[in-house]
């Protein structure tokens, strides 16, 4: 089975969580997607880059989620979510996926 890069898991969690919440009008379902993808990405980060890096990337993931809310008021919801997902994916790739 092909390995899915942690960058894709993290970005997919942010975009997918927002998409599920928006399309189902159930924020808790979006939150579940966000949490499951975040936990899966954190496991990959820990295996590939160690605990300290996993903690920092998890903090970036949570900060991206939180930061997308005020950013959405300035640029719109989808551009904000895609922007923070891209930033988290880039950080994840640089720290954990680049040498994997």
């Amino acid at each position: 089975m092909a390995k899915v890069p942690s960058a894709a898991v993290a970005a997919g969690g942010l975009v997918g969580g927002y998409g599920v919440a928006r399309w189902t009008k159930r924020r808790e379902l979006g939150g579940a997607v966000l949490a499951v993808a975040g936990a899966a990405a954190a496991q990959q980060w820990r295996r590939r880059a160690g605990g300290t890096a996993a903690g920092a990337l998890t903090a970036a993931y949570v900060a991206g989620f939180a930061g997308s809310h005020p950013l959405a008021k300035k640029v719109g919801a989808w551009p904000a979510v895609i922007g923070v997902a891209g930033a988290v994916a880039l950080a994840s790739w640089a720290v954990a996926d680049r040498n994997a």
Side-chain angles (χ1 to χ4, degrees):
M1 186 162 89
K3 294 180 182 178
V4 178
S6 62
V9 174
L14 289 162
V15 173
Y18 174 70
V20 166
R22 181 173 176 131
W23 289 316
T24 64
K25 297 184 181 8
R26 303 279 311 263
R27 294 178 74 178
E28 64 275 11
L29 292 179
V33 170
L34 181 80
V36 168
Q43 281 186 326
Q44 288 182 313
W45 294 329
R46 189 175 313 116
R47 262 194 321 268
R48 293 179 183 169
T52 302
L57 288 168
T58 300
Y61 184 80
V62 172
F65 167 69
S68 68
H69 291 82
L71 183 59
K73 293 178 181 177
K74 297 181 185 287
V75 299
W78 277 113
V81 170
I82 290 169
V84 300
V88 170
L90 180 61
S92 179
W93 175 82
V95 173
D97 294 337
R98 179 174 41 179
N99 297 321

